[in-house]
Amino acid sequence: MAKLKKAYFCQNCGAQASKWVGKCPSCGEWNTYVEEIIEKGNSNSTVKSSQSKSKPVAVQDVENQPQLRYRTPNQELNRVLGGGIVPGALHLFGGEPGIGKSTLLLQLGLAWQGIKVLYVSGEESQQQIKMRAERIGISNKQCFLLAETNLQSILQHLEKEAADVIVIDSIQTLHSSLIESSAGSISQIRECAGELMRFAKQSSTPVFLVGHINKEGSIAGPKVLEHMVDVVLQFEGDRNHMYRILRSAKNRFGPTNELGIFEMQGSGLKEVANPSEILISNRKEQLSGSAIASSLEGMRPILIEIQALVSSAAYGTPQRSATGFDLRRLNMLLAVLEKRCGFRLASKDVFLNLAGGIKVEDPALDLAIVSAILSSTEDIPIAPKVCFAAEVGLSGEIRPVNKVDQRIQEAQKLGFEKMFISKYNLKSIQTTDFKIELISVGKVEEVFNKLFS
Ligand code: TYD
Ligand code: MG
């Protein structure tokens, strides 16, 4: 076998050394050196480059090729991917342990009739996967399992099997025999992902890589994987809740603002086509501190229940806690209420929760949050069938939000009768188009009167 040339590189500044060193002599960082292959056997780069056929082309002369997409049987996944899977695309699928990454991808393979899927697992045995497959139900007879962790052996199988879609679960368990470091190390991840990318591009086969995430919530390895792949999907959710959310953090072939919602059941993940109904369905009694926001995730409006609890601080420093929402934004809204409406919130504990364990970053939630806090402070329930969609600015002004007509339509569809919006949004819509009563507000002070009078 031809000899490999390897060296150690600092992951911080890129300095090179022939041996591992603890402290980088060039940038002074500790523990940043990893082994990498710099030349593989008989490849001769100078010969290659002189024979290269690539040449620069003016942008307008580049030929248009229709973007082919395979629609998967999973509608939520299609939505997040921007319509379907692009041939040759390398996808990275990240998420906390136990969130359902393996389940979702196995389910995809088992449901996709007529497509040959090869599911390579380095984590579970074929028997274990079979047990899971039986829970989910097997409808695709062409879903193959391979329990293997050696990259070279996997690549041989991939060439031989010629599957239509490949799943690798997970990239951290693979190891290439060309590198000595253990599976999961940065150099192994980079090498294995690089080889799989080459395979995906050369054979135009879409590949899904499952990636573990670390304590901080990013995919293990300093962003190497995210940079290499075409699509980064993140599977999130609270393990104690049933709902799981699939987002794309990067997509070279489509938008990144779409969201897929699933529910974990005894027989795998079920697609949730109509999330609003579930996220607010269990409201029977009227309780203070609860308000409904009409939010928009990607192209899809979702009604979300906001729950707030305001109580006197038991200890000196009041506590502020937010689940599913940015804590700094909550603090800002509290400061606005204190300054503009004269509510003494500085000595209160404030807890905020988005029902269903979902996480949202839509500024249109602001008005519902402010209303939920007011309702809890005064202990007056907000009337049922009332919802909100507006942003709150620092000076207490109620600001307009985008796509307000879609938000109104969704609220109307679910039987809401009144909706608070910014008065600056009225210009962009025809109020007569809607049956729902629109209450326009311009300042946060007005909200309280219009809500509770
Ligand atoms: P898993 O898919 O193995 O998660 P990951 O690959 O992200 O680590 O685990 C999913 C969890 O969901 C596991 O704790 C068991 C549970 N589960 C169900 O509730 N229903 C099911 O049908 C399956 C297959 C798993
Ligand atoms: Mg798994």
Side-chain angles (χ1 to χ4, degrees):
M1 190 174 146
K3 209 168 165 322
L4 280 179
K5 248 175 131 181
K6 294 183 211 169
Y8 290 82
F9 288 89
C10 172
Q11 297 297 297
N12 189 46
C13 68
Q16 184 181 355
S18 57
K19 274 195 301 203
W20 187 83
V21 276
K23 185 183 178 187
C24 177
S26 154
C27 68
E29 283 292 314
W30 284 91
N31 247 338
T32 52
Y33 272 76
V34 296
E35 185 189 33
E36 278 174 35
I37 298 175
I38 47 176
E39 199 180 301
K40 257 187 221 164
N42 40 19
S43 79
N44 192 331
S45 52
T46 49
V47 174
K48 263 194 179 161
S49 62
S50 67
Q51 289 174 343
S52 155
K53 290 196 191 81
S54 60
K55 64 173 199 291
V57 181
V59 179
Q60 67 274 20
D61 299 337
V62 176
E63 276 176 48
N64 275 340
Q65 280 176 347
Q67 185 70 273
L68 197 72
R69 281 180 196 269
Y70 302 132
R71 286 193 77 78
T72 76
N74 192 320
Q75 298 312 325
E76 295 292 297
L77 182 64
N78 288 340
R79 177 200 295 277
V80 175
L81 289 173
I85 294 180
V86 175
L90 187 63
H91 306 78
L92 179 63
F93 203 88
E96 303 225 345
I99 202 83
K101 303 181 292 295
S102 308
T103 305
L104 183 65
L105 290 174
L106 182 63
Q107 207 171 324
L108 177 72
L110 291 172
W112 207 344
Q113 289 177 12
I115 295 284
K116 183 169 175 182
V117 180
L118 181 58
Y119 184 99
V120 183
S121 179
E123 306 203 328
E124 291 161 297
S125 67
Q126 282 164 338
Q127 285 73 29
Q128 276 175 307
I129 304 171
K130 170 82 193 284
M131 268 162 54
R132 187 194 300 242
E134 278 171 348
R135 277 178 84 172
I136 298 170
I138 307 169
S139 37
N140 181 10
K141 296 274 180 306
Q142 295 233 81
C143 182
F144 292 86
L145 304 179
L146 172 69
E148 178 63 79
T149 54
N150 182 277
L151 177 71
Q152 280 70 29
S153 150
I154 291 173
L155 286 172
Q156 273 175 11
H157 285 290
L158 297 189
E159 303 277 351
K160 207 167 72 209
E161 294 290 331
D164 301 312
V165 177
I166 316 272
V167 176
I168 307 279
D169 187 4
S170 64
I171 186 74
Q172 276 89 358
T173 54
L174 298 197
H175 70 94
S176 160
S177 25
L178 303 181
I179 299 184
E180 276 149 33
S181 59
S182 57
S185 63
I186 297 170
S187 43
Q188 283 285 9
I189 291 179
R190 189 197 299 245
E191 171 67 14
C192 294
E195 285 296 322
L196 288 165
M197 179 165 74
R198 225 156 291 147
F199 172 80
K201 302 291 167 209
Q202 273 166 10
S203 62
S204 287
T205 314
V207 175
F208 284 89
L209 304 177
V210 172
H212 293 172
I213 64 170
N214 55 20
K215 267 210 312 283
E216 290 82 44
S218 58
I219 293 164
K223 300 260 174 209
V224 272
L225 272 174
E226 281 106 317
H227 285 298
M228 278 169 112
V229 300
D230 300 306
V231 180
V232 178
L233 297 172
Q234 253 150 358
F235 210 27
E236 317 172 336
D238 190 336
R239 254 197 300 164
N240 304 320
H241 284 87
M242 299 168 304
Y243 299 109
R244 302 284 185 272
I245 293 176
L246 185 68
R247 291 176 199 274
S248 75
K250 164 180 175 178
N251 190 352
R252 287 190 181 146
F253 314 109
T256 54
N257 52 4
E258 283 296 352
L259 184 112
I261 302 183
F262 297 89
E263 186 181 340
M264 184 58 99
Q265 294 187 339
S267 56
L269 288 154
K270 193 177 141 261
E271 297 165 34
V272 177
N274 217 339
S276 304
E277 280 169 17
I278 314 167
L279 291 173
I280 55 166
S281 63
N282 39 7
R283 262 171 43 109
K284 291 184 192 75
E285 292 158 63
Q286 277 199 46
L287 300 169
S288 68
S290 158
I292 309 283
S294 185
S295 168
L296 202 71
E297 284 288 339
M299 302 301 288
R300 174 155 66 167
I302 303 182
L303 294 196
I304 298 172
E305 179 173 349
I306 316 274
Q307 298 167 335
L309 176 68
V310 180
S311 67
S312 297
Y315 306 102
T317 326
Q319 294 186 60
R320 265 75 208 271
S321 135
T323 318
F325 187 74
D326 183 14
L327 185 60
R328 277 173 305 180
R329 185 131 194 120
L330 171 64
N331 281 328
M332 181 216 107
L333 294 174
L334 291 173
V336 171
L337 278 179
E338 177 116 24
K339 178 101 180 167
R340 302 290 156 195
C341 301
F343 283 98
R344 303 235 136 265
L345 293 165
S347 59
K348 305 273 191 188
D349 285 343
V350 180
F351 303 96
L352 189 86
N353 189 14
L354 301 198
I358 86 164
K359 234 190 259 163
V360 179
E361 279 178 3
D362 185 0
L365 251 54
D366 287 357
L367 189 58
I369 289 173
V370 163
S371 307
I373 292 170
L374 289 177
S375 160
S376 179
T377 314
E378 297 294 307
D379 204 15
I380 310 174
I382 294 173
K385 312 277 177 210
V386 173
C387 68
F388 305 85
E391 188 181 337
V392 176
L394 280 182
S395 52
E397 81 276 20
I398 307 293
R399 308 183 55 182
V401 291
N402 63 347
K403 305 208 175 92
V404 73
D405 45 344
Q406 286 185 30
R407 299 174 196 262
I408 300 172
Q409 256 151 14
E410 178 77 359
Q412 195 169 290
K413 203 171 85 194
L414 288 163
F416 280 81
E417 287 156 7
K418 285 185 188 174
M419 181 157 172
F420 281 72
I421 58 167
S422 161
K423 68 176 183 192
Y424 305 105
N425 259 140
L426 288 178
K427 278 185 241 131
S428 58
I429 50 171
Q430 268 293 353
T431 42
T432 46
D433 289 354
F434 304 106
K435 282 202 299 287
I436 196 167
E437 183 189 344
L438 295 173
I439 304 173
S440 61
V441 277
K443 282 194 207 134
V444 74
E445 299 91 305
E446 293 169 34
V447 178
F448 186 79
N449 294 333
K450 293 203 173 168
L451 202 51
F452 300 122
S453 58

